[in-house]
RNA sequence: GGAGAGGUGGCCGAGUGGUCGAAGGCACCAGAUUGCUAAUCUGGCGUACUGGCAACGGUACCGAGGGUUCGAAUCCCUCCCUCUCCGCCA
């Protein structure tokens, strides 16, 4: 959520900024009209209530005889106030509805452009591995080794579900453990959060109200399955005021994530690249606004380090305004090279949400300098997404004989095991 | 799921219809004072919206939402949460 005062004070500037992320200017006008109406009603109501308090007190001190006559007019005032409250409630609901649909403003340095047009590679590290045989895609490798079972996933749940079997499951578990240990080294506090959260929580990170159809939910109990651990991690301190000495706060969690993937129906249906359920290690930072830009850079670096330890070639993409999404003010993706399916796989997406989520979730800190409570800045990034990392490991470490070598960094988590072959599963 | 108890400011804890945004204590901040870590005294000390250049005002918030009333932290209803006991269960 943006600061309404910012919009109120510089409507034209904000309209221009929002146009960069395809938000129509007339929506800003609607919002301002709703704001004005709400404030006018609020003010009128305040005056009526002040009058009631004052006169009710007088009434209490009156002689009984005198009271009765005043009661009637006080009752009328009460009705007027009740009507005013109903009207204000409606006006506020409309205002809030509109506010929650306004996307975040991009940082000034984010290149402007439609869609992916303004995205650019800002860094590469490691060379895509060369093979003296034709590397297989992971779906073939996985089936040959018997470590990914697509058919039974489909049998039990449907399209986009699969089992990891034996060494496949162990390899993923090793990756998770390795990532979490690295996150701890990098200063993150590990949490094991709820995987189902309420509407308020999902609204806090801005997955609601706009993206309701991308998530699974239990309507009866008002539970939403988390689409990413960003939701519970960012909301950990929702509606709290933090001591500034505690900032920055780094949180991490391994969780399954649940997504409907309606938008990508028919895309990436092969393999384990995109499922309705996947595992991810997530990083979230709550930081002082002054350090926010620098914290995004180090967040990306924290994600890159996972790739580096796994010996995977990767590149970092800076997203242009057209690809920022709803909540991000700036965003980088990290992609690793997968030689089997011959593509760069997005294994991490690192966003700085500025005060956008903090305002929704009301995460504040006491600013010693100003003596005021201000919103923290929130950042989040994958560190990393498991299926795609698993794809990259399998495809990059495959050998001519059909086995897959275990990256050095994972061996301590697999009793020193050096490779996966059909025999070892 | 059943029975009971309870949810008040950072914490503890008063408050059962009016002058209560809420006593008191602790913690915290500022100042004063006493030569030792510390004690004492004085003052300050919630959040948000809003009017005003400011001084200083107004309104809302005592788990949430409704209701009764001229007036609700206080009475009534519904819901949520916590605790205790019983039942059930991974």
């Amino acid at each position: 959520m943006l600061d309404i005062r910012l919009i109120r004070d510089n409507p034209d500037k904000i309209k221009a900024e929002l146009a960069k992320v395809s938000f129509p200017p007339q929506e800003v006008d609607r919002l301002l009209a709703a704001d004005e109406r709400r404030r006018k009603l609020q003010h009128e109501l305040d005056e009526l209530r002040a009058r009631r308090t004052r006169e009710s007190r007088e009434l209490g001190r009156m002689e009984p005889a005198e009271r009765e006559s005043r009661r009637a007019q006080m009752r009328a005032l009460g009705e007027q106030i009740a009507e005013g409250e109903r009207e204000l409630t409606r006006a506020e609901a409309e205002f809030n509805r509109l506010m929650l649909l306004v996307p975040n403003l991009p940082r000034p340095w984010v290149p402007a452009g439609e869609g992916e047009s303004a995205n650019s590679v800002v860094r590469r590290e490691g060379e895509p591995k060369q093979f003296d045989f034709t590397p297989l895609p992971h779906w073939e490798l996985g089936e040959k080794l018997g470590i990914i079972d697509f058919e039974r996933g489909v049998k039990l749940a449907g399209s986009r579900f699969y089992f990891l079997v034996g060494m496949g499951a162990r390899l993923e578990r090793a990756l998770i453990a390795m990532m979490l240990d690295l996150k701890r080294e990098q200063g993150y506090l590990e949490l094991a959060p709820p995987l189902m959260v309420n509407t308020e929580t999902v609204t806090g990170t801005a997955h609601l109200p706009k993206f309701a159809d991308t998530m699974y939910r239990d309507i009866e109990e008002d539970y939403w399955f988390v689409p990413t651990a960003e939701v519970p991690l960012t909301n950990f301190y929702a509606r709290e005021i933090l001591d500034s000495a505690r900032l920055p706060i780094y949180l991490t969690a391994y969780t399954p994530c649940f997504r409907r993937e309606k938008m990508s129906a028919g895309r990436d249906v092969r393999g384990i690249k995109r499922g309705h359920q996947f595992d991810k290690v997530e990083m979230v930072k709550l930081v002082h606004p002054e350090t926010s830009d620098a914290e995004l850079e180090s967040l990306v670096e924290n994600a890159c380090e996972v790739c580096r330890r796994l010996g995977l070639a990767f590149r970092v993409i800076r997203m242009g305004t057209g690809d920022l999404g709803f909540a991000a003010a700036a965003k980088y993706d990290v992609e690793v090279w997968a030689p089997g399916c011959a593509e760069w796989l997005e294994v991490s997406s690192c966003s700085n949400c500025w005060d956008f989520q903090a305002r929704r979730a009301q995460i504040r800190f006491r600013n010693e300098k100003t003596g005021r409570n201000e919103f923290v800045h929130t950042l989040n990034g994958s560190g990393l997404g498991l299926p795609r990392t698993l794809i990259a490991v399998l495809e990059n470490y495959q050998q001519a004989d059909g086995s897959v070598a275990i990256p050095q960094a994972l061996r301590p988590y697999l009793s020193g095991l050096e490779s996966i072959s059909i025999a070892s599963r």
Side-chain angles (χ1 to χ4, degrees), chain A residues 4-23:
Chain A
I4 183 60
R5 279 170 291 205
L6 195 67
I7 305 175
R8 211 187 278 151
D9 296 345
N10 323 278
D12 294 331
K13 184 169 174 254
I14 299 299
K15 279 182 201 172
E17 287 298 301
L18 286 173
K20 292 183 188 168
V21 289
S22 309
F23 188 76

Side-chain angles (χ1 to χ4, degrees), chain A residues 17 19 34 39 119 125 162 176 197 231 250 278 313 343 363 394:
Chain A
E17 287 298 301
R39 291 206 295 157
N119 296 356
E125 212 176 297
Y162 54 88
I176 293 165
V197 295
V231 176
Y250 291 5
F278 65 97
E343 61 177 317
I363 311 163
L394 291 175

Side-chain angles (χ1 to χ4, degrees), chain A residues 244-270:
Chain A
S244 66
R246 296 178 63 183
L247 301 178
I249 291 168
Y250 291 5
L251 303 173
T252 189
Y254 148 71
T255 69
C257 303
F258 305 93
R259 300 186 183 177
R260 300 186 86 92
E261 298 295 352
K262 274 180 161 173
M263 301 300 283
S264 28
R267 291 198 55 208
D268 306 320
V269 285
R270 211 137 189 225

Side-chain angles (χ1 to χ4, degrees), chain A residues 5 241 365-375:
Chain A
R5 279 170 291 205
I241 300 171
F365 74 103
R366 182 118 206 135
N367 189 329
E368 307 297 344
K369 271 190 216 162
T370 61
R372 305 176 68 90
N373 296 323
E374 297 173 13
F375 294 109

Side-chain angles (χ1 to χ4, degrees), chain A residues 15 33 106 126 160 205 211 223 236 243 250 262 277 292 339 385-386:
Chain A
K15 279 182 201 172
R160 292 193 190 280
T205 42
F211 305 102
Y223 289 143
F236 190 62
D243 191 332
Y250 291 5
K262 274 180 161 173
Q277 173 199 322
S292 175
L386 266 307

Side-chain angles (χ1 to χ4, degrees), chain A residues 89-371:
Chain A
T89 301
R90 281 195 298 271
E92 279 181 333
E94 174 65 1
F95 172 71
N96 289 333
R97 190 184 70 79
L98 294 171
M99 276 303 275
L100 290 174
L101 291 171
V102 182
N104 204 357
L105 299 169
R107 296 253 60 211
W109 48 263
V110 173
E114 300 264 314
E116 299 178 6
S117 65
N119 296 356
S120 63
V121 175
V122 291
R123 207 162 108 213
R124 288 173 187 272
E125 212 176 297
E127 287 302 314
K129 199 173 278 183
Q130 298 302 312
F131 292 80
D132 48 17
F133 59 95
T134 306
L136 298 175
H138 68 281
W139 54 85
E140 285 183 30
L141 263 174
E143 289 207 303
K144 278 189 178 161
L145 289 168
I147 60 173
I148 308 176
D149 188 334
F150 295 101
E151 281 185 23
R152 292 198 173 91
V154 172
K155 178 176 76 177
L156 266 66
S159 158
R160 292 193 190 280
F161 288 93
Y162 54 88
F163 279 85
L164 293 180
V165 177
M167 278 311 299
R170 287 185 66 194
L171 190 57
E172 203 204 56
R173 182 156 54 86
L175 280 165
I176 293 165
M178 182 277 272
M179 288 179 194
L180 286 173
D181 283 351
L182 175 56
K183 292 307 126 187
R184 191 166 48 76
E185 275 178 46
Q186 292 171 336
Y188 291 80
L189 175 67
E190 182 179 346
L191 304 180
L195 303 181
M196 298 159 85
V197 295
N198 60 30
T199 297
E200 185 178 23
T201 301
V202 188
T203 307
T205 42
H207 291 85
L208 283 179
K210 202 176 173 193
F211 305 102
D213 63 353
T214 66
M215 290 180 285
Y216 292 102
R217 70 184 299 199
D218 176 347
I219 300 168
E220 236 176 288
E221 302 281 355
D222 183 32
Y223 289 143
W224 298 80
F225 286 52
V226 297
T228 157
E230 169 197 345
V231 176
L233 293 186
T234 304
N235 278 287
F236 190 62
Y237 290 108
R239 298 176 293 287
E240 294 187 33
I241 300 171
L242 304 164
D243 191 332
S244 66
R246 296 178 63 183
L247 301 178
I249 291 168
Y250 291 5
L251 303 173
T252 189
Y254 148 71
T255 69
C257 303
F258 305 93
R259 300 186 183 177
R260 300 186 86 92
E261 298 295 352
K262 274 180 161 173
M263 301 300 283
S264 28
R267 291 198 55 208
D268 306 320
V269 285
R270 211 137 189 225
I272 63 172
K273 181 180 169 189
R274 189 184 299 275
H276 288 306
Q277 173 199 322
F278 65 97
D279 288 345
K280 179 157 63 69
V281 168
E282 180 75 359
M283 307 176 281
V284 160
K285 292 179 168 188
L286 307 179
V287 309
H288 192 291
E290 284 173 9
T291 66
S292 175
D293 278 324
E295 290 283 6
L296 178 60
E297 301 301 319
S298 76
L299 181 71
V300 176
E301 175 49 34
N302 290 160
C304 290
E305 182 60 20
V306 182
C307 304
R308 203 174 286 131
R309 295 227 177 161
L310 289 171
L312 300 172
F314 65 90
R315 61 182 197 181
V316 178
I317 319 280
R318 171 187 289 139
M319 314 308 275
T321 55
D323 221 2
L324 279 182
F326 188 70
K331 185 194 277 192
Y332 292 100
D333 278 0
V334 179
E335 299 180 339
V336 293
W337 177 249
C341 43
E343 61 177 317
W344 289 96
L345 293 174
E346 180 191 324
V347 288
S348 181
S349 189
C350 298
S351 303
N352 185 350
C353 295
W354 213 245
D355 60 3
F356 187 78
Q357 293 178 324
R359 182 170 286 108
R360 286 171 170 247
Q362 291 185 67
I363 311 163
R364 290 172 290 178
F365 74 103
R366 182 118 206 135
N367 189 329
E368 307 297 344
K369 271 190 216 162
T370 61

